[in-house]
Short mmCIF file of all heavy atoms in Angstrom, two decimals:
data_model
loop_
_atom_site.label_atom_id
_atom_site.label_comp_id
_atom_site.label_asym_id
_atom_site.label_seq_id
_atom_site.Cartn_x
_atom_site.Cartn_y
_atom_site.Cartn_z
N ARG A 59 1.35 33.54 -38.62
CA ARG A 59 0.33 32.89 -39.47
C ARG A 59 0.30 31.40 -39.07
O ARG A 59 1.27 30.68 -39.33
CB ARG A 59 0.66 33.02 -40.95
CG ARG A 59 -0.42 32.35 -41.84
CD ARG A 59 -0.08 32.47 -43.31
NE ARG A 59 1.14 31.79 -43.65
CZ ARG A 59 1.23 30.45 -43.86
NH1 ARG A 59 0.14 29.71 -43.73
NH2 ARG A 59 2.38 29.89 -44.18
N GLY A 61 -0.98 27.74 -39.45
CA GLY A 61 -1.58 26.88 -40.47
C GLY A 61 -0.55 26.12 -41.23
O GLY A 61 0.50 26.70 -41.58
N SER A 62 -0.77 24.85 -41.42
CA SER A 62 0.23 24.01 -42.08
C SER A 62 0.22 24.20 -43.59
O SER A 62 1.19 23.87 -44.25
CB SER A 62 -0.01 22.52 -41.75
OG SER A 62 -1.29 22.12 -42.20
N ALA A 63 -0.87 24.71 -44.11
CA ALA A 63 -0.98 24.90 -45.56
C ALA A 63 -0.45 26.29 -45.95
O ALA A 63 -0.38 27.18 -45.10
CB ALA A 63 -2.42 24.74 -46.00
N PRO A 64 -0.07 26.45 -47.21
CA PRO A 64 0.36 27.78 -47.63
C PRO A 64 -0.74 28.81 -47.45
O PRO A 64 -1.93 28.47 -47.50
CB PRO A 64 0.69 27.57 -49.11
CG PRO A 64 0.91 26.10 -49.28
CD PRO A 64 0.03 25.45 -48.25
N ALA A 65 -0.32 30.03 -47.28
CA ALA A 65 -1.28 31.12 -47.01
C ALA A 65 -2.32 31.22 -48.12
O ALA A 65 -3.49 31.47 -47.87
CB ALA A 65 -0.54 32.43 -46.84
N ALA A 66 -1.88 31.02 -49.35
CA ALA A 66 -2.79 31.20 -50.46
C ALA A 66 -3.81 30.08 -50.59
O ALA A 66 -4.81 30.20 -51.29
CB ALA A 66 -2.01 31.30 -51.76
N GLY A 67 -3.57 28.98 -49.85
CA GLY A 67 -4.42 27.82 -50.01
C GLY A 67 -5.58 27.74 -49.07
O GLY A 67 -6.42 26.85 -49.19
N ARG A 68 -5.66 28.63 -48.09
CA ARG A 68 -6.71 28.52 -47.09
C ARG A 68 -7.26 29.90 -46.76
O ARG A 68 -6.54 30.89 -46.80
CB ARG A 68 -6.13 27.91 -45.80
CG ARG A 68 -5.55 26.53 -45.96
CD ARG A 68 -6.68 25.49 -46.14
NE ARG A 68 -6.18 24.12 -46.19
CZ ARG A 68 -5.88 23.50 -47.32
NH1 ARG A 68 -6.01 24.11 -48.48
NH2 ARG A 68 -5.43 22.25 -47.28
N ASN A 125 -6.12 29.21 -42.03
CA ASN A 125 -5.03 30.02 -41.53
C ASN A 125 -5.57 30.96 -40.47
O ASN A 125 -6.64 31.51 -40.60
CB ASN A 125 -4.45 30.89 -42.69
CG ASN A 125 -3.39 30.14 -43.45
OD1 ASN A 125 -2.48 29.56 -42.86
ND2 ASN A 125 -3.48 30.15 -44.77
#
Side-chain angles (χ1 to χ4, degrees):
Chain A
R59 181 181 63 80
S62 60
R68 299 288 184 267
N125 273 312

